[in-house]
Amino acid sequence: MTTATIAGVQVDLDAEGFMTDPKQWTKEIAETIARDNGIDPLTQKHWQVIDFCRADNEAKGTPPTVRRITKQTGISTKEMYQLFPKGPGVLSSKIAGLTKPKGCI
Amino acid sequence: MATITEKATLHDTAPEPAQTGTPEAVDEPEVARRVAIICSKGSLDMAYPGLIMANAARMMGIDAMIFFTFWGLDIVTKKKVEHLHAGMLGNPSSPMPHSVMGLPGMEALATKMMKKKIESLDIPDVPELLEILDDAGAELYSCQLAMEMFDLDDDDLVPQVKGSLTAMDFWEKAAGAQVVFI
């Protein structure tokens, strides 16, 4: 585990760059991580995904997979790839300040 | 740890050949990762691994293509895709002896049980998984020679298949990809 300063906040990261403590997350962190991954700006749809991921993680104790996100939010698989072209399975969680999803689907 | 140190030493003395073997390419320009999966078997237990692995690649932003050849064509053949069977005969991991598995109805039972389990885990069935792969931007191709062997036309295949390829076309498309044969 390492620490890094993102958008002025010191955060804990795992080896793959995922935040390990969702409480350290801020909206500015989300915007910064998104920008680093080619997403600028974050649209209302992005925030819908991010808000869902954080709420679901809070409720279930684990970040949602792409399939769960699409099924629960109604956002289609196609849209998920338009929103997160470099990989919706990892980026949704990373931007939302969560760990890597554990599911395979 | 020992191997990393070894590689680092190797890198110091001979920088050129160590390019692909370094544990983390931190400052190097991002190279797009690609996978090409060849599905050559049409049973349920051989279909899922290829489809799931390709989908997982896409979810991580890795380019993925799947080439369906020989019995693997069943996975994308309209008439077969919903009726793939769990292949238990000839499978040493089969939970029941082959003498029993060979009895009429046993394979259907095993298939039913496997499909039930898959559904209970909220894993999509094969037709839906093919749609997800297509939406995710994975490229699906059929093997031209296998299609000729089985007298299949493009119309016989699910719409997610982009076209048929010869073996040489495949290698052209798979340039730079990690290739997996199933």
Side-chain angles (χ1 to χ4, degrees):
Chain A
M1 206 168 75
T2 55
T3 53
T5 307
I6 307 175
V9 185
Q10 193 168 6
V11 296
D12 298 321
L13 300 177
D14 67 12
E16 291 177 90
F18 289 84
M19 284 176 63
T20 53
D21 182 1
K23 288 192 209 78
Q24 295 173 336
W25 177 90
T26 64
K27 294 206 163 190
E28 290 71 33
I29 289 179
E31 279 159 0
T32 307
I33 298 175
R35 216 174 301 127
D36 286 348
N37 287 281
I39 301 167
D40 191 22
L42 285 171
T43 63
Q44 195 197 334
K45 271 267 160 75
H46 288 106
W47 285 112
Q48 192 188 340
V49 174
I50 294 164
D51 291 343
F52 171 74
C53 287
R54 289 189 61 85
D56 201 51
N57 184 71
E58 180 87 35
K60 301 270 173 187
T62 183
T65 59
V66 175
R67 180 162 170 81
R68 186 164 166 79
I69 296 169
T70 55
K71 278 184 118 176
Q72 299 292 318
T73 63
I75 293 172
S76 71
T77 306
K78 244 185 193 155
E79 274 180 293
M80 282 297 286
Y81 280 86
Q82 283 159 1
L83 293 170
F84 306 96
K86 289 188 178 175
V90 284
L91 282 184
S92 55
S93 268
K94 204 171 230 179
I95 294 169
L98 309 170
T99 53
K100 187 157 117 182
K102 290 189 175 67
C104 290
I105 277 288
Chain B
M1 285 311 278
T3 49
I4 292 171
T5 322
E6 235 174 70
K7 271 178 189 165
T9 322
L10 196 84
H11 194 91
D12 286 344
T13 50
E16 268 187 18
Q19 268 187 4
T20 51
T22 45
E24 249 184 307
V26 184
D27 286 331
E28 281 170 29
E30 216 175 293
V31 179
R33 284 180 69 188
R34 309 186 65 211
V35 292
I37 297 174
I38 303 170
C39 285
S40 74
K41 296 284 201 297
S43 60
L44 214 49
D45 49 310
M46 292 302 231
Y48 268 106
L51 303 182
I52 299 261
M53 295 310 287
N55 186 54
R58 289 301 304 128
M59 289 197 299
M60 291 185 66
I62 300 170
D63 282 352
M65 68 175 274
I66 312 179
F67 183 61
F68 297 93
T69 186
F70 233 86
W71 306 115
L73 270 181
D74 282 3
I75 302 168
V76 286
T77 302
K78 280 178 191 163
K79 280 184 183 163
K80 305 266 179 83
V81 62
E82 281 172 46
H83 312 289
L84 301 183
H85 285 248
M88 289 302 173
L89 280 175
N91 174 4
S93 300
S94 165
M96 269 185 269
H98 278 43
S99 50
V100 180
M101 280 309 297
L103 294 173
M106 287 311 286
E107 199 194 52
L109 183 69
T111 302
K112 206 174 158 186
M113 283 166 67
M114 194 180 278
K115 280 191 170 175
K116 220 173 174 178
K117 186 73 192 171
I118 285 168
E119 204 186 324
S120 77
L121 291 171
D122 195 30
I123 298 168
D125 61 15
V126 173
E128 192 189 346
L129 196 44
L130 292 171
E131 282 174 27
I132 290 174
L133 280 161
D134 187 44
D135 288 344
E139 296 188 357
L140 313 186
Y141 296 101
S142 60
C143 166
Q144 192 176 302
L145 182 62
M147 285 179 70
E148 286 167 17
M149 278 180 58
F150 295 120
D151 284 321
L152 293 170
D153 291 320
D154 288 346
D155 292 345
D156 295 317
L157 304 182
V158 297
Q160 290 85 24
V161 176
K162 288 183 79 141
S164 63
L165 302 179
T166 65
M168 287 195 287
D169 290 339
F170 168 82
W171 288 117
E172 190 71 40
K173 287 235 184 257
Q178 292 169 296
V179 180
V180 180
F181 184 90
I182 300 172

